[in-house]
Every structure is written in C-alpha cells, then in structure tokens.
Amino acid sequence: MIELRGAATGYGAIPVFENMSFAVGKGSAMAIAGPNGAGKTTLLLLMAGMLPLWRGAMHVAGNDVSALGAEERIGVGVVLCPEGRRIFSTLTVEENLQLGATTIRRSLHRSGVRRAINDGLEQVYSMFPILRERRHGSGGALSGGQQQMLAIGRALMSRPAVLLLDEPSLGLAPLIVDEVYAHLEELKRSGLTIVVVEEAASRVMSFADTALVLRNGRVILQGDAKEVSEHLDLAKAYVGGGAG
Amino acid sequence: MMVASLQVIVDGLSIGSTYALLALGLSLVFSVMGFVNFAYGSLIVWAGYAIAVTDSVGAPYALTILVMVVFTVVLSIAMGRFAFRPFITAPPATLLLTSFGVALALQAVAIFVFGEAPRHVPTPPVLIESVSVGGVRISLLQILALGLSVIVLVALNLLIQRTTFGIEIRAAAEDSKAAQLMGVRPPKVLLVVFAISGVVAAVVAFVWFARIGTVDPRADLTPTLKAFIAVVLGGLGTIRGPVIGGLLLGLFESVLASFLTTNLLAFQSAFAFGLVILVLILRPQGVAGRVVELAK
C-alpha cells in the first residue's frame, strides 16, 4: 500500500536518514520504535509530505507520490495524526472534524461534499460516541484520551487509505491506551493501513504486523513485529535497554 | 447637560466605530500571521489618493468610491502576495520589520508620485451636513459610519464563525503547521485574509476621507496608530477586543474634545497614549483580549 525506497531527508542541509526502505501492505500495521532523536517523527513527516524527499521514492497504491506536498498527500490517502495531537482549541469538536475534511471539500462537487462530510461525521461519531456528546464544546476542553480520539477522527474525515500516528499513547493512562489501540485494531480490520510511531515499544508491538527499530537515523531491526519485539526484550535483558 | 452628553456619545460612537474597523483589519492579519502590520495605514493613504485621482479626471463620486474599493483590495492582496507571503515561514519579527519596510516604500512612492503637499479628497456636502435630532447634531456620514461598521462586523463574524473557510482561518491562526496537516493551504489563507483586510481598509478609507477631506503621503501614521491604540486597549486575539477598543478610543477622544480647552486639545494624542500606558500597566492583555505577544 505504502512503500519507501532508498528515501533520504533531513532539516536544512543536515540529513536525518540517508537510505530508508520499507513497505506496508494494505490493511496491515507497521510499528516504528526507537529512542528519542532516532528519526521516527521525521520519517512520518516525510511520509506526510511535510519534508521534501532528497533522494529515493515513495509510492502509495503503486503510484509515485514522491513530488507531492502535504495537501496532495492527503488527497492520495495519506494522513498524519501529529505528535501531541494538535487539537484546535479555538474550534469546536465538530469544527475540528470538519477541518479534517478540507481536502474532501475541494475534491468533490457541492452536493457530494455535504453527503461525504455527514457520512464522515456519522462514522466518527458512531466509533467515538463521546465526541458526538461533546461536539459543540471546544476541542481544547476534552481530556487527553478524548483528544486522541478526536485526532484520529479528524484524520479519518479525509477518508484515508494510510493512517500515520505519532505517539498516540503519549501522556495517556494505560487503560485509555488500550482503548485507543482497540479502535486502531478495528480500523485495521476495516482495511486501513496504519503506521504507528511509539517510543515505548511494548504496546504497539502486539498491535503491529511488522516493525522497524530506528537509532540515529538507521534501521537497526526490521521485520515481523513479534520477532523484533523479542529481539528488543533480549537487548533490554542483556544490554540494559536503550534500544526502545 | 443631557443633550451635551448625548452629543459626546454619538460623536464618540461614530468615530469609534471607524477605529473599531481599523483595529479589526489590523488584528485580522495579526491573528493569522502573528505580526502587527504597520503598513496597514498605507492602504488608507493610497485609498485616499485613489479617490482624489479618479475625481480629478471628472468621475462622479460613486465611481471614485468604487474605484477606490477595488484599488485598495488589489493593493492589499499585492502587499500580502509580494511583501509577506515570501516570508510565510519566517519568524513574526521578520514580518513585523518587513511591514515597516513596506510602509516606508509606499510612502516614498506616494511622495514621488503626488508630492508632499496635501491633496483634496472630495466629499458630497450632503454627507457631512449635520441635522439636529432633538438638539443632538448628527450627519449622514456619522450614521453611515456606524451602519457600515455594523454591516462589516456582522459579515466578518459570520464568515469567521459560520463558514468552513472561517474554520480554516481560525485553524491556521491557532496552529499553522497542524492546519497544513489537515489540508489547509496557509499561503491561500494569507491572501484571503489580506483581501478581507483590504475590504475593511476601503470601508474605513471612505468614512475617513469624507470626514477629513485631504490626503498627504505621511497620513498613514494616524490610522495605523489609532488602530494600534484601539487594539492595545481592547486586546488582540479576538474579534470582540479590537471592536471594544475602537469604541472606547472614540468615546475617550470625544469626551476629551468636549472637556479640554483649545490649547490642551493639541495634546489629545498624548492623552490617548497616556491611556494606553495605563492599560498596559493595569491590564496588559487589554479590556477584552487574550494574552499575546506583538510578534508571537
């Protein structure tokens, strides 16, 4: 579904990674783990079109999307739930969701837009009933867990094929983290391709099918999530952690 | 006494409503771009010249106003496109300095083209003749100023609060990067905001020049400062703040004008700035604003 081949990017003239390759199949999930500063967020920003591809290529559903910017990436179905959720507190919950449909609004005709947005809202509200209850309240007034639901719902409003999540469990209580992952599980079963970055690897590894462990912009482990997870546990046991 | 205080209130509200619009135009760009556009008054000055020049070729008044509105909106968009959009990712302090540069450049061009001497900006006498309503003197222009301000405010409020484009503007104002991740195009939002700010400037210019009747190249300072004072009084970051600040400033000036003797009246601006200093000491976020930084 989504594939990177020999990708390189960075900030200014400073490279973060030079040669990144992986593929995630339709309806499957990949975890990206690694310590702080490993390049996890950079990788997601690159996939979301917020950073330019220096070398290499990115394909979505077989199409080369390397040259597309952030807005067009959403158009081809790749959407990012950013780190810290970045909910708009000056917008209501429902306005946050409507903002997620910005590209839908541009791509369809008037009558189709209303239906698409109403369908989208209905889908999000039936998945996260709490958002329906709070739809006229400020997005900033939600709890951390509710904000994460809103961030996911907002991303779903663009009808993505690939959902990128940056630290969805950050700052959430373990019970809420489980709830978030239960919803991600549901989305994966419905055919969505998911890429999740987590610094704390344990929870995401049981969710993901494949995994990538980064350190200093290099892939140090890659493969089946279960095996990667076991390697990480071994590394922790013998080296005292550090690999994530 | 009753009539006298009513007169002060009518005069204050009518000039205050103009200040409110000026402040709103300034704060609109601020809330999206994060900087105070000191070239805002230049739009007013050039709008004045647009009326004067169109009039000098013999056009009827209504046409001069129409030309002025179109010209001001185009100039505002051009300002956004060529002076500010190239720096859209730069820190707001860069944009603040750019706005000073734009103000100076537009002033220099005005001096070069039109000379230093003030030019007459025509106004139909019917607009400025006062009629007495129960002893309170009021002109058609004052009623227009109030009415236009209310229309612009209501329209702007609907646009920002009730339309999907308003959602995009508010999102871009709060967190431009996150808005981009949702598919918002910040450069487009910038241009539309400058266009709206141009419309507001054109409405202000109409009332402004009908009242004072002349324009000169250095006349940009007064509207910019009035807008700035109103914004500081009322507070930035909301629609309500600049409007309340503008009305307060208008009432304050009107009260001063009725109490001060002629030789003290020359210091009217000093009193206004005194008020600003007082507000900054006592309530730095303004009467109805949020806490923001000049270049956030």
Side-chain angles (χ1 to χ4, degrees), chain B residues 8 11-13 15-17 19 245-255:
Chain B
V8 167
D11 290 347
L13 284 182
I15 186 74
S17 66
Y19 293 161
L247 292 177
L248 277 182
L249 178 62
L251 285 171
F252 181 70
E253 284 189 358
S254 171
V255 168

Side-chain angles (χ1 to χ4, degrees), chain B residues 121-154:
Chain B
V121 180
T123 306
V126 60
L127 277 184
I128 33 184
E129 275 163 14
S130 297
V131 289
S132 179
V133 182
V136 176
R137 299 191 62 74
I138 187 163
S139 69
L140 186 57
L141 183 67
Q142 285 180 307
I143 298 169
L144 265 179
L146 263 172
L148 283 171
S149 304
V150 170
I151 293 172
V152 170
L153 277 176
V154 169

Side-chain angles (χ1 to χ4, degrees), chain A:
Chain A
M1 190 66 207
I2 187 163
E3 187 180 7
L4 244 61
R5 281 185 216 148
T9 193
Y11 301 96
I14 302 156
V16 173
F17 43 82
E18 308 262 17
N19 188 0
M20 183 70 67
S21 298
F22 59 78
V24 191
K26 181 171 162 50
S28 75
M30 184 176 85
I32 301 174
N36 202 8
K40 306 185 299 290
T41 294
T42 305
L43 189 51
L44 289 190
L45 289 175
L46 173 74
M47 285 193 269
M50 294 292 281
L51 288 172
L53 201 57
W54 290 1
R55 283 186 306 280
M58 173 166 147
H59 288 79
V60 174
N63 300 312
D64 190 340
V65 300
S66 309
L68 301 183
E71 185 207 333
E72 293 106 325
R73 290 279 170 94
I74 303 172
V76 298
V78 182
V79 67
L80 170 65
C81 276
E83 191 176 359
R85 312 185 247 283
R86 309 279 277 265
I87 295 302
F88 297 95
S89 59
T90 53
L91 305 186
T92 65
V93 168
E94 185 151 308
E95 284 172 341
N96 267 281
L97 292 174
Q98 291 201 340
L99 190 72
T102 299
T103 53
I104 297 280
R105 207 171 285 119
R106 288 198 198 106
S107 67
L108 293 174
H109 283 293
R110 235 193 161 73
S111 56
V113 167
R114 174 158 297 175
R115 190 148 25 88
I117 290 177
N118 285 341
D119 289 353
L121 285 174
E122 202 42 53
Q123 189 204 343
V124 171
Y125 286 150
S126 60
M127 189 167 194
F128 306 114
I130 184 70
L131 297 183
R132 190 200 299 273
E133 264 170 54
R134 310 286 299 267
R135 66 183 184 277
H136 297 305
S138 158
L142 299 179
S143 71
Q146 290 164 352
Q147 286 199 357
Q148 187 56 57
M149 315 281 176
L150 178 54
I152 293 172
R154 188 177 60 180
L156 292 178
M157 288 297 290
S158 69
R159 295 176 168 178
V162 181
L163 180 63
L164 312 173
L165 295 139
D166 199 348
E167 303 259 8
S169 65
L170 192 73
L172 301 184
L175 218 61
I176 309 292
V177 173
D178 286 342
E179 197 184 333
V180 168
Y181 272 97
H183 286 301
L184 293 180
E185 202 75 60
E186 192 183 327
L187 288 168
K188 193 176 82 164
R189 270 199 306 275
S190 73
L192 194 65
T193 303
I194 301 178
V195 178
V196 194
V197 156
E198 289 279 14
E199 204 178 315
S202 51
R203 183 63 187 84
V204 70
M205 287 303 176
S206 60
F207 161 73
D209 304 294
T210 57
L212 201 69
V213 180
L214 296 180
R215 183 183 267 178
N216 294 328
R218 282 172 203 283
V219 177
I220 55 169
L221 280 172
Q222 186 170 13
D224 182 74
K226 216 177 219 140
E227 286 168 23
V228 167
S229 178
E230 281 161 10
H231 269 96
L232 282 179
D233 290 342
L234 272 179
K236 255 191 199 131
Y238 288 98
V239 194

Side-chain angles (χ1 to χ4, degrees), chain B residues 67-176:
Chain B
V67 169
M68 177 275 282
V69 171
V70 173
F71 175 79
T72 309
V73 174
V74 170
L75 182 63
S76 185
I77 294 173
M79 199 187 259
R81 170 67 185 82
F82 297 108
F84 297 109
R85 203 173 84 171
F87 303 114
I88 193 164
T89 53
T94 308
L95 294 158
L96 186 70
L97 291 177
T98 305
S99 81
F100 281 115
V102 172
L104 285 175
L106 284 175
Q107 187 180 75
V109 175
I111 293 172
F112 182 74
V113 176
F114 303 109
E116 293 269 13
R119 264 183 92 133
H120 175 60
V121 180
T123 306
V126 60
L127 277 184
I128 33 184
E129 275 163 14
S130 297
V131 289
S132 179
V133 182
V136 176
R137 299 191 62 74
I138 187 163
S139 69
L140 186 57
L141 183 67
Q142 285 180 307
I143 298 169
L144 265 179
L146 263 172
L148 283 171
S149 304
V150 170
I151 293 172
V152 170
L153 277 176
V154 169
L156 206 57
N157 205 38
L158 284 177
L159 175 79
I160 291 184
Q161 299 300 335
R162 293 269 179 271
T163 68
T164 49
F165 192 73
I167 296 178
E168 289 188 37
I169 292 181
R170 280 181 285 148
E174 185 181 336
D175 186 343
S176 174

Side-chain angles (χ1 to χ4, degrees), chain B residues 20 23-24 27 153 157 161 230-231 233-247 283 287-290:
Chain B
L24 203 60
S27 77
L153 277 176
N157 205 38
Q161 299 300 335
V231 151
L233 288 180
L236 277 163
T238 61
I239 285 195
R240 205 172 40 154
V243 172
I244 291 173
L247 292 177
R283 199 176 154 77
V287 177
R290 291 188 288 123

Side-chain angles (χ1 to χ4, degrees), chain B residues 254-270:
Chain B
S254 171
V255 168
L256 281 184
S258 71
F259 283 125
L260 294 181
T261 56
T262 320
N263 53 345
L264 269 179
L265 209 52
F267 296 101
Q268 204 189 15
S269 299

